[in-house]
């Protein structure tokens, strides 16, 4: 029986490094890729498993080098490089409060009180189109919101939101 090659990177021949200009680089099987793009294949269910390592080609296309099976398979210094790169790509502050919601001309406009990974709180206005696709339940208590600019916002636990925030958000939870 033939086995299918899924393109999983051989961890023994993989070395992630910090390249010039703040880009992540990869040395793999004798090749050096000084500027790679890391993307999660299953970002919601397995955020630190199945990470695609690719290089940019002409236009907006990417050529995949391979797939990292698990970030935890890497030595600590390389793990930190990959996690930092993923956190920058998938930046998603935590929603602490839904301050206001307005439904206008097919868009939902929200003012959110957010907290970034450094614990700094701030407010942000965002526009959401097609709420049935862009406000999603990730679990019974976790929600992700995508705005029109491609930003992501996470409600880690609906139970931690105030009643007022839940009331404003409830109409959009499917």
């Amino acid at each position: 029986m033939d086995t299918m090659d899924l393109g999983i990177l051989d961890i023994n021949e993989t070395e992630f490094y910090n390249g010039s200009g703040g880009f992540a680089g990869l040395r793999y099987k004798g090749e050096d890729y000084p500027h790679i793009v890391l993307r999660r294949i299953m970002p919601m269910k397995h955020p630190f498993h199945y990470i695609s390592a690719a290089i940019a080609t002409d236009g907006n296309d990417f050529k995949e080098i391979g797939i990292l099976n698990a970030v935890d398979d890497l030595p600590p210094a390389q793990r930190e490089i990959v996690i930092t790169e993923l956190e920058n790509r998938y930046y998603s502050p935590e929603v602490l409060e839904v301050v206001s919601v307005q439904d206008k001309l097919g868009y939902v406009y929200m003012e959110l009180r957010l907290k970034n990974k450094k614990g700094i709180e701030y407010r942000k206005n965002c526009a959401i189109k097609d709420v049935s696709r862009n406000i999603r339940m990730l679990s019974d208590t976790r929600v992700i919101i995508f705005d029109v600019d491609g930003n992501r916002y996470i409600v880690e636990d609906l139970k931690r939101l105030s009643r007022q925030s839940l009331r404003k958000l409830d109409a959009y939870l499917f």
Side-chain angles (χ1 to χ4, degrees), residues 9 16 36-41 49-54 62-68 86:
L9 294 172
F16 290 94
I36 60 168
V37 175
L38 297 174
R39 293 180 291 186
R40 292 175 167 141
I41 294 173
H49 287 82
Y50 315 116
I51 308 300
S52 169
F62 294 91
K63 179 181 178 223
E64 189 169 75
I65 302 162
I67 298 169
L68 174 63
L86 291 171

Side-chain angles (χ1 to χ4, degrees), residues 90-95 114-117 122 124 151-156:
Y90 293 94
Y91 174 71
S92 49
E94 181 181 359
V95 176
L114 305 167
K115 180 172 73 172
N116 67 16
K117 294 198 186 295
Y122 61 100
K124 183 169 182 192
N151 299 309
R152 301 166 180 88
Y153 311 95
I154 299 283
V155 177
E156 290 292 344

Side-chain angles (χ1 to χ4, degrees), residues 126-141:
C126 63
I128 301 142
K129 185 165 179 70
D130 191 6
V131 293
S132 64
R133 296 177 112 189
N134 292 309
I135 299 178
R136 294 189 222 149
M137 297 293 297
L138 299 175
S139 70
D140 290 344
T141 60

Side-chain angles (χ1 to χ4, degrees), residues 60-109:
N60 291 327
D61 295 329
F62 294 91
K63 179 181 178 223
E64 189 169 75
I65 302 162
I67 298 169
L68 174 63
N69 189 46
V71 173
D72 284 344
D73 293 344
L74 296 170
Q78 292 183 51
R79 185 179 319 134
E80 186 177 323
I81 292 166
V82 170
I83 289 172
T84 299
E85 189 73 17
L86 291 171
E87 285 179 350
N88 289 338
R89 172 172 287 282
Y90 293 94
Y91 174 71
S92 49
E94 181 181 359
V95 176
L96 300 175
E97 177 185 7
V98 179
V99 178
S100 66
V101 177
Q102 290 184 330
D103 215 328
K104 275 193 209 173
L105 303 170
Y107 289 87
V108 172
Y109 297 90

